[in-house]
Amino acid sequence: MLENLPVLSLIIWIPLLGSLVVLFLPGYNARAVRGAAIFFAVVPLLLALWLYASYEPIVGGQAFAEQGTWLSVPLNAEAFGLHANVASYRLAFDYRLGVDGISLPLVLLTGVVAAMASLASVHIRKRWKTYFTLFLLLQTGMYGVFLARDVTLFFIFFELTLVPMFFLIGIWGYFGREKAANRFLVYNGLGSAVMLLAFLILIATLGFSSAETSGGTELIFSGSYDTMLANLKDPNAAAHQNSAMFLSENLKWAAFVLLLVAFGIKLPMFPFHTWMLKVHTEAPPAVVMIHSGILLKMGAYGLIRFAAFLLPVQLHASSTVLAIIGVVNILYGAVLACVQKEFKLVLAYSSVSQMGIVLLGIASLNETGFEGAIYQAVSHGLISALLFLLVGSLHERTGTTRIDELGGLAQTVPFLSGILLTAGLASLGLPGLSGFVGEFLSFLGLFSSMKALTAVGVIGVLLAAVYVLRSVLAITNGPLPERFAGLKDARFVEALPMVVLTALIVLLGIYPSLLTDLMQHGFDGLLKELQTRVGG
């Protein structure tokens, strides 16, 4: 039945519809507002699960695609005239969506984390209607980023995530929320400006196709990702169309560096990570579930989808530098996580370290490493979402998340403590949990070409055991402060998302092919280009 429906569009726009529905509900009826928000967060997850069940890996193509032109702008041929054989020029803004083995795991991650975060928003105590309106609008942007197959559309959805996130941090965060929101907007705004410049270079030099009209040949410029890939595979395509639009090596390097900086800020990549620390500590836990679980992964996805696939030669030449940055991320984040007294900062620096493993997978330049990077992104998304869900529950009960002010909680809240221990073990990469698989594949992929850097990076994994166990055991074991003696364990609305996230972490740890099968053939085009252009 769903085969005849625009499922990709429904996944994107149903949350937007939900935000409009919530906007018109009476603000005093918190139960109706929350119920509607949860409903419109769960429906896209169900559609994403249908995509997963229907997906069959396709070599060099997409399993599902939707497209259409929503705006076309004629260009002045005389003023714009670059080629005598071209009669007219047109700028097309296309609505192109697609899903493949690279984006589908991240779409599923978005569905799961967004649905669980909607349940975790039970801790929000003010302005529910505004909160959930922005919350659902944020989901539309996130789904759009992972499903867009046009760089213009990708950029629009990417920007759409900034506005609601800014207000979600600034209104519902903790004491330093305004400063955190401003820093988030400044850093991500700069990243977006850099990304836009890179996309303009790519559109002007690769985003063209020709069509025959009654007046002659028409040259069409668009942000079509597939058109860019096709032009890149033919090194002479740009020269045949118009020598003035040729993507030179200098322009390729400029675009690659710009993309690396833009998505490196989002990831975050050292030294562009400082803004993220403020967000992790000042934003409300349900919002940090979204931020750490999904928004950071937009950086990893952008690096793979655009920097790697569109500019494979530059990626190959920069692989050692990228691996070094990844190792710096791993060690820097791990060392600083070991000395923090605030549990939220431990998790923030842990995210910096974990994202370094994603960079190692990308720098490996082989299928094992690329799959490891995506797997690590999904795994960290689930684990970090679970950990910040626990942070919200602990803060609501104790009023603090400082490690030196907590202790002995296993005596009064054994369920929360048990889930916290499981999440911590997954974060440090214990075999049998999802964290191990992503780390193992990423390091294994890199080991074939950079053994020394791999060995140094593994030190960060060992340090993860130090900061995770130090924090978790200090919170759950030891003497129980007298003021925490009457704490109550998790309620059903809290326990449900905790159980779901924990179950997925365990399931992906013991049955990794649930994700790796999705990624089968997803990197074939990139690997073929690397082999053709650089001989390996």
Side-chain angles (χ1 to χ4, degrees):
M1 181 177 67
L2 291 177
E3 290 86 349
N4 299 322
L5 294 177
V7 176
L8 304 184
S9 293
L10 289 174
I11 289 175
I12 293 174
W13 301 116
I14 281 177
L16 180 61
L17 174 63
S19 70
L20 295 176
V21 170
V22 168
L23 193 60
F24 287 101
L25 289 174
Y28 60 82
N29 193 340
R31 178 173 294 184
V33 170
R34 287 195 182 106
I38 292 171
F39 173 80
F40 284 104
V42 169
V43 171
L45 170 59
L46 298 178
L47 292 174
L49 290 173
W50 179 85
L51 285 179
Y52 175 81
S54 306
Y55 181 80
E56 295 181 5
I58 298 175
V59 178
Q62 303 170 58
F64 302 91
E66 299 170 18
Q67 65 181 52
T69 299
W70 54 278
L71 180 62
S72 183
V73 180
L75 299 173
N76 188 303
E78 294 181 359
F80 193 74
L82 299 173
H83 200 288
N85 297 327
V86 177
S88 60
Y89 299 86
R90 179 160 57 91
L91 180 62
F93 295 93
D94 294 334
Y95 179 81
R96 292 177 181 267
L97 304 177
V99 67
D100 56 16
I102 300 171
S103 57
L104 184 52
L106 295 167
V107 172
L108 289 167
L109 172 68
T110 303
V112 170
V113 173
M116 298 306 105
S118 67
L119 293 173
S121 297
V122 67
H123 299 309
I124 299 300
R125 303 298 186 189
K126 64 179 181 180
R127 301 175 65 177
W128 306 290
K129 189 166 75 169
T130 305
Y131 173 86
F132 283 111
T133 299
L134 294 170
F135 183 87
L136 290 167
L137 182 62
L138 177 61
Q139 287 186 48
T140 290
M142 294 186 301
Y143 282 119
V145 163
F146 296 127
L147 292 174
R149 297 287 288 195
D150 180 275
V151 297
T152 306
L153 195 62
F154 175 92
F155 182 79
I156 292 172
F157 283 125
F158 196 94
E159 293 302 289
L160 185 59
T161 65
L162 300 186
V163 177
M165 193 67 187
F166 171 78
F167 288 109
L168 288 170
I169 298 168
I171 297 175
W172 289 274
Y174 296 112
F175 181 76
R177 56 186 179 272
E178 291 91 352
K179 187 175 181 180
N182 289 332
R183 186 171 293 188
F184 166 83
L185 193 62
V186 169
Y187 272 84
N188 284 270
L190 289 173
S192 296
V194 172
M195 184 201 310
L196 178 61
L197 184 56
F199 283 168
L200 289 175
I201 293 174
L202 294 175
I203 291 173
T205 56
L206 290 175
F208 58 86
S209 58
S210 59
E212 294 299 324
T213 66
S214 58
T217 301
E218 181 179 47
L219 198 61
I220 305 167
F221 288 90
S222 74
S224 170
Y225 176 78
D226 298 314
T227 298
M228 292 179 183
L229 276 179
N231 287 334
L232 273 172
K233 289 179 180 178
D234 180 5
N236 298 316
H240 289 162
Q241 293 283 357
N242 195 318
S243 59
M245 294 182 296
F246 181 67
L247 184 61
S248 65
E249 287 301 311
N250 288 337
L251 279 179
K252 286 181 179 179
W253 273 108
F256 180 82
V257 172
L258 291 171
L259 290 172
L260 184 62
V261 171
F263 294 119
I265 290 174
K266 196 71 175 179
L267 190 63
M269 183 174 67
F270 181 87
F272 308 120
H273 65 286
T274 55
W275 67 271
M276 185 268 286
L277 303 176
K278 278 289 184 183
V279 173
H280 274 47
T281 53
E282 300 297 341
V287 174
V288 186
M289 287 176 66
I290 294 286
H291 181 260
S292 180
I294 304 171
L295 295 185
L296 300 187
K297 311 313 178 283
M298 288 162 48
Y301 176 75
L303 279 176
I304 293 173
R305 177 66 74 190
F306 299 105
F309 271 84
L310 293 180
L311 301 163
V313 176
Q314 284 65 37
L315 175 67
H316 180 271
S318 306
S319 59
T320 301
V321 174
L322 198 61
I324 292 172
I325 296 174
V327 170
V328 170
N329 259 56
I330 293 171
L331 296 179
Y332 173 84
V335 169
L336 289 182
C338 288
V339 298
Q340 299 303 316
K341 294 182 179 181
E342 168 59 59
F343 188 46
K344 288 185 287 188
L345 274 178
V346 172
L347 300 182
Y349 281 110
S350 174
S351 291
V352 174
S353 183
Q354 296 291 322
M355 290 301 96
I357 297 175
V358 173
L359 291 175
L360 295 189
I362 297 173
S364 70
L365 303 181
N366 56 55
E367 186 172 13
T368 300
F370 287 137
E371 290 186 359
I374 297 292
Y375 207 107
Q376 175 68 6
V378 173
S379 172
H380 178 262
L382 296 172
I383 295 168
S384 63
L386 177 56
L387 285 167
F388 278 102
L389 175 59
L390 290 161
V391 163
S393 296
L394 291 175
H395 189 273
E396 184 192 36
R397 286 162 173 77
T398 64
T400 182
T401 50
R402 283 186 62 88
I403 298 170
D404 54 357
E405 295 178 2
L406 297 169
L409 295 186
Q411 301 175 40
T412 55
V413 286
F415 177 82
L416 287 175
S417 299
I419 296 293
L420 178 60
L421 179 60
T422 304
L425 294 175
S427 182
L428 64 82
L430 184 74
L433 300 174
S434 64
F436 171 76
V437 181
E439 292 177 4
F440 178 76
L441 291 177
S442 298
F443 282 119
L444 181 63
L446 189 70
F447 185 76
S448 61
S449 57
M450 304 181 201
K451 294 179 175 59
L453 282 175
T454 304
V456 176
V458 170
I459 297 174
V461 177
L462 301 178
L463 291 174
V466 175
Y467 65 74
V468 168
L469 294 178
R470 165 185 168 269
S471 304
V472 172
L473 295 180
I475 292 171
T476 58
N477 292 345
L480 176 69
E482 198 172 312
R483 66 184 187 278
F484 298 151
L487 297 182
K488 293 183 179 180
D489 217 333
R491 294 165 288 172
F492 176 77
V493 72
E494 297 171 298
L496 178 60
M498 291 177 190
V499 170
V500 170
L501 291 170
T502 302
L504 289 173
I505 290 168
V506 173
L507 183 62
L508 292 179
I510 62 178
Y511 194 15
S513 60
L514 287 172
L515 277 189
T516 55
D517 284 353
L518 284 183
M519 293 181 273
Q520 187 180 11
H521 303 306
F523 296 99
D524 283 359
L526 173 57
L527 295 172
K528 184 178 179 181
E529 282 298 301
L530 285 170
Q531 187 174 22
T532 302
R533 300 292 179 87
V534 299

